[in-house]
Amino acid sequence: MATKAKFQAIRGTRDLLPPETALWNHVEQTVHEVFRTFGFGEIRPPIVETTELFSRAVGQESDVVQKEMYIFEDARGELWQARENVRNCFFRPHENSSVQVLRGFLGDFQSRLQAGLQSREVEHDAGQTQFYQYFSQGMEYFSKLTSNDPDLPLQIHGKVLEEIERMGAFLKNAIVGVRIGTFVALRPEATASVCRAYIEHNMQQLPQPVKLYYMGPMFRRERPQKGRYRQFYQIGAEVLGGTDAPAIDAEVIEMVMTFFDRLGLEGVELSINSIGHAADNCRRGYVETLRAELNKVKDKLGADSRRRIDTNALRVLDSKLEHEQPIIARLPKIADHLCDECASHYARVKKELDLRDVKYVENWRLVRGLDYYMRTTFEITARGLGSQNAVCGGGRYDGLVELLGGPPTKGIGFAIGEDRLILSLQEQTKAHSSSESSPLATSHSPRLYIAWMGQNAYAAAIRAARNLRAAGISVELPPAEQKFGKALERASKLNAKFALILGDNEVTSGEWALKTLADGTQQKLSESQLLDFLKRL
Ligand code: ATP
Ligand code: MG
């Protein structure tokens, strides 16, 4: 009876398997090739960073930070263990032994915390110190209540029991508030890390701008669906430092489009917009106007949009709700409220795109919710993805490096959703060739299967396999002797192109038999002829 597998990949994560991984490699190889020609170097930041880096860079208000991050406290060691002991201790206030155990654990925690604060191994700020003082007072009281001193037979009185229960629970809960280690998060995106690295490695001293690209897994705790996973992959690039010349914006966009083009991705659509900058005569003024208009139609909006009028009015434009669409269509447009510099920057970006033959549509509803995003924003959609059809999002963020503690630095970048890109490429191949699998799909099949029999043949087979593999040919060398019939059967199952038949006769005569599996034809070749023949294919 088949039983359900005990272990399964966690919801929203998945295994990428052959032959699909060949396509992933092909995409990533193309990234290296194309991005290099635009002068970008690869950066590989860590997958975990302090939570604070992301809450600053991505924004405390964003969905990503508020509900999608995987966060944990990076702490171990004796103090952490002491806190775990308190936390896991099952407290039964009516049993003296249980009370004494909790008291022991709390005492142990208290003395270790004190030592940690003194040695500065534990983060030592006003909040933590104050916590320690309150906690110590609480402990003093709890110790009196629970003392075994016969002169203080407090346990007998019901009132005291109540106090023990209350204080024990209180102290047990309170310890959770101490920061023992740092809070770290699995990265939900990588722009923050790249900016952090730019500052940390003093890259502003390098020739500007610094052009970096990355690829790798990102983590967001979203509701999984087609094109949306909890572990997904992004390919991104950032241009940091130097000027904010519109040509830079256009070239970054041109690079993404060139990359998609090189992959043969069809049905790509680029939308662009400018969101101005955070000033009263520009975006801030627009947001005020927008907010006033939104308040007039408040009653017709859904709950999310209504809430956003005050917290993040621009994001209302992002709404996908059917019934809000006609309302949004009548709202004031940001293009009419840009300051002169931003308007001119936008006009020049469009001109630069035209010069590069990059086709775009303008979408005034394409926004970013954060203050440091400014001017150019863009998004690229692809086919075959249903409602999750954005494969790339990007924009200018001149304030971000400074926000993270670096010098004022211009910045622009994008992130491509690699999973969605691959999905779209796969849908495309399906549409073109209904039954045939793509050449990439079988790229890991062996070219040559060696059907050997006999110990002399085996030695020759090992040698041939080594030489052929060194020449880049994929070879399947069966680990045990098989009858030729069986071997040929297996060779076709594995989708091999050729079978080399190597028995003692062939070894003695030096004439090896190579069978083409598709048509069954056979030819005789010497060892060196065989190598030449396969290499030339
Ligand atoms: P969406 O509106 O689709 O949630 P987003 O605005 O959250 O996208 P960005 O943070 O700009 O996306 O990330 C850039 C790209 O990364 C997206 O265009 C998309 O292709 C991809 N992406 C984002 N979240 C996921 C996810 N959970 N699973 C797969 N791909 C994702
Ligand atoms: Mg999202």
Side-chain angles (χ1 to χ4, degrees), residues 64 68 220 222 228:
V64 170
E68 297 174 1
R220 297 183 195 176
E222 308 197 67
R228 198 178 283 290

Side-chain angles (χ1 to χ4, degrees), residues 216-241:
M218 307 295 155
F219 304 84
R220 297 183 195 176
R221 202 168 189 294
E222 308 197 67
R223 192 171 68 77
Q225 51 196 293
K226 184 182 173 190
R228 198 178 283 290
Y229 312 98
R230 289 180 172 179
Q231 175 174 342
F232 63 102
Y233 295 78
Q234 280 185 341
I235 296 163
E238 320 288 347
V239 179
L240 295 167

Side-chain angles (χ1 to χ4, degrees), residues 97-308:
S97 60
S98 168
V99 172
Q100 294 311 323
V101 168
L102 178 64
R103 197 179 113 169
F105 283 153
L106 282 167
D108 181 44
F109 171 76
Q110 184 189 13
S111 55
R112 287 187 196 283
L113 177 59
Q114 187 185 24
L117 286 168
Q118 264 162 11
S119 66
R120 310 247 151 178
E121 270 165 63
V122 179
E123 206 180 323
H124 191 283
D125 60 19
Q128 298 263 91
T129 319
Q130 199 171 42
F131 169 85
Y132 178 74
Q133 279 162 5
Y134 285 142
F135 183 76
S136 302
Q137 282 166 17
M139 273 301 284
E140 210 174 303
Y141 181 46
F142 189 61
S143 301
K144 268 193 201 140
L145 288 172
T146 56
S147 165
N148 272 337
D149 187 338
D151 292 340
L152 295 164
L154 297 172
Q155 327 276 9
I156 338 159
H157 309 294
K159 185 129 187 355
V160 171
L161 235 176
E162 246 172 55
E163 275 297 275
I164 291 176
E165 185 164 9
R166 192 180 67 80
M167 276 313 286
F170 172 76
L171 292 169
K172 210 165 166 301
N173 285 333
I175 52 130
V176 178
V178 194
R179 283 194 312 282
I180 288 174
T182 10
F183 282 91
V184 298
L186 297 180
R187 63 180 183 194
E189 56 111 67
T191 301
S193 305
V194 177
C195 292
R196 196 250 323 121
Y198 179 86
I199 300 166
E200 187 172 336
H201 304 289
N202 285 319
M203 291 192 215
Q204 66 273 12
Q205 281 164 14
L206 301 173
Q208 304 293 300
V210 172
K211 303 199 260 185
L212 297 167
Y213 74 96
Y214 60 83
M215 50 182 127
M218 307 295 155
F219 304 84
R220 297 183 195 176
R221 202 168 189 294
E222 308 197 67
R223 192 171 68 77
Q225 51 196 293
K226 184 182 173 190
R228 198 178 283 290
Y229 312 98
R230 289 180 172 179
Q231 175 174 342
F232 63 102
Y233 295 78
Q234 280 185 341
I235 296 163
E238 320 288 347
V239 179
L240 295 167
T243 78
D244 60 355
I248 292 183
D249 306 42
E251 195 178 75
V252 161
I253 295 174
E254 183 190 5
M255 179 166 87
V256 187
M257 297 305 268
T258 306
F259 165 63
F260 286 159
D261 191 53
R262 190 70 56 84
L263 287 173
L265 186 69
E266 294 166 0
V268 177
E269 271 184 31
L270 165 68
S271 313
I272 61 165
N273 190 25
S274 173
I275 53 166
H277 76 299
D280 290 339
N281 67 341
C282 200
R283 182 168 70 231
R284 268 209 296 266
Y286 167 70
V287 172
E288 281 312 308
T289 314
L290 182 66
R291 196 169 279 146
E293 288 305 311
L294 284 169
N295 273 316
K296 288 184 200 161
V297 293
K298 197 168 181 170
D299 300 343
K300 300 192 194 114
L301 297 172
D304 277 344
S305 293
R306 239 177 315 175
R307 190 165 33 81
R308 284 185 178 139

